[in-house]
Amino acid sequence: MNAIVIDTETTGFDKEKDELLQVSIIDEEGNTLFDEYVCPERVREWPEAQNVNQITPEFISSYPCISVYKDQLQRILQAADLIIGFNTQFDLGFLAAADITPRDDVQQVDVMREFAPVYGEWSTNNQNYRWKSLRACAEYY
């Protein structure tokens, strides 16, 4: 099985208006397959996201846009049998917004969803376990 682990940084949470800032992918042995910053094409400021990811508009301005890497990323995703990530749907949603998609039959593991019951914080409003941040997951382990 060809497994990859994926993570992205973005200008915000809305894949319809926000854009990718960084894409990182490793294989199941920890080898880096892709790790690049990308300059957004439309969004010029992202103060809230910048507070989290520390990626500034000035820093990212000299990097190419995601379309430069589209074919390379598409090959990596299409070759994967299993995609692992923290909030995987978020990462794959932003890649899909850039027209980069995995195969339809790819398996996915979302560590965020798997970790929620391990952490055990129940939400009575949602009648489910609360999703925790990647930082909370890392600190827990």
Side-chain angles (χ1 to χ4, degrees):
M1 175 172 286
N2 183 17
I4 61 172
V5 180
I6 189 167
D7 189 37
T8 65
E9 297 297 338
T10 65
T11 62
F13 296 116
D14 185 346
K15 67 181 180 224
E16 302 301 321
K17 67 174 187 162
D18 289 305
E19 296 180 76
L20 290 161
L21 294 171
Q22 184 178 20
V23 179
S24 300
I25 304 172
I26 61 173
D27 67 16
E28 67 267 27
E29 296 174 5
N31 299 307
T32 301
L33 302 178
F34 189 89
D35 186 24
E36 297 290 341
Y37 290 102
V38 292
C39 187
E41 296 182 56
R42 300 175 315 278
V43 179
R44 296 293 169 232
E45 295 181 332
W46 47 90
E48 290 179 26
Q50 183 177 323
N51 286 334
V52 175
N53 60 36
Q54 306 301 308
I55 301 172
T56 66
E58 297 78 22
F59 172 79
I60 207 79
S61 66
S62 64
Y63 287 90
C65 63
I66 191 69
S67 62
V68 169
Y69 300 111
K70 181 181 174 187
D71 291 342
Q72 182 182 1
L73 285 165
Q74 189 67 34
R75 280 192 301 277
I76 293 169
L77 264 59
Q78 288 289 313
D81 299 312
L82 174 65
I83 299 175
I84 304 163
F86 198 89
N87 199 357
T88 313
Q89 288 300 314
F90 179 85
D91 295 332
L92 292 177
F94 270 86
L95 286 166
D99 202 27
I100 302 164
T101 56
R103 296 189 328 255
D104 290 338
D105 65 341
V106 71
Q107 296 177 26
Q108 296 179 34
V109 172
D110 189 336
V111 176
M112 181 182 74
R113 293 173 191 265
E114 299 284 330
F115 177 66
V118 171
Y119 194 84
E121 186 178 323
W122 186 257
S123 168
T124 53
N125 290 344
N126 296 328
Q127 290 299 300
N128 205 342
Y129 291 102
R130 291 184 197 272
W131 295 342
K132 305 306 287 182
S133 69
L134 179 55
R135 181 179 310 277
C137 182
E139 288 172 357
Y140 181 89
Y141 287 105

